Amino acid sequence: MASVAVTINGRRYEIACEEGQEAQLSRLGRYVDDRVRQLAAAVGQLGDTRLMVMTSLLLADELSDKNDELETYKVEHSVAVRERKDEMIVQKLDRLTQKITEIAQTMDDVDIAEVSSNVETLVHNDDELDDPSAQ
């Protein structure tokens, strides 16, 4: 197990971490130190414990805001995806409707008696192929 030394508000802390996480932990330590220093500059040195608690609450508030933003994004993204899928379905239905209309118009031009006669001929020829004795 690795460890990293972080300095927060002038105090050094040795923190254990998983191998490979040292850089991330150092970055987070610098971020917390910056936040503690900002708070201390705004309210004064109230003692390490109090500054840490107040900083923790400020960071928790930031995290809560980011989680709210993420949830809003998820909802908006979900709605956008649904709307896009709906648009695609409408486009497909429009294309299918157009094809059906074209087929129906073609069928209007066809002589039904001629089609029926052709079908009967095909069925008769197919029956002859199935029954060798008919030849």
Side-chain angles (χ1 to χ4, degrees), residues 7 14 20 24 26 40 48 56-57 70 91 99 111 117:
T7 303
E14 195 70 31
Q24 172 72 353
S26 292
D48 284 343
S56 296
L57 292 171
L70 179 59
Q91 290 171 357
K99 286 181 182 182
D111 180 7
S117 173

Side-chain angles (χ1 to χ4, degrees), residues 28-104:
L28 292 172
R30 287 189 302 275
Y31 182 75
V32 171
D33 184 47
D34 287 344
R35 297 301 302 202
V36 168
R37 289 179 185 274
Q38 289 171 3
L39 184 61
V43 297
Q45 285 291 343
L46 304 173
D48 284 343
T49 303
R50 195 167 207 174
L51 276 173
M52 292 297 190
V53 168
M54 291 177 72
T55 301
S56 296
L57 292 171
L58 289 172
L59 292 174
D61 184 51
E62 287 178 12
L63 181 60
S64 176
D65 289 346
K66 294 299 179 190
N67 283 335
D68 290 346
E69 289 175 21
L70 179 59
E71 286 304 314
T72 299
Y73 170 79
K74 285 179 182 179
V75 168
E76 290 171 355
H77 179 73
S78 177
V79 168
V81 167
R82 257 193 322 258
E83 287 174 351
R84 180 64 187 134
K85 285 180 180 178
D86 289 349
E87 287 174 20
M88 291 172 62
I89 290 170
V90 167
Q91 290 171 357
K92 285 181 181 182
L93 287 173
D94 286 346
R95 287 193 302 269
L96 287 173
T97 301
Q98 183 178 358
K99 286 181 182 182
I100 290 169
T101 302
E102 290 170 4
I103 291 169

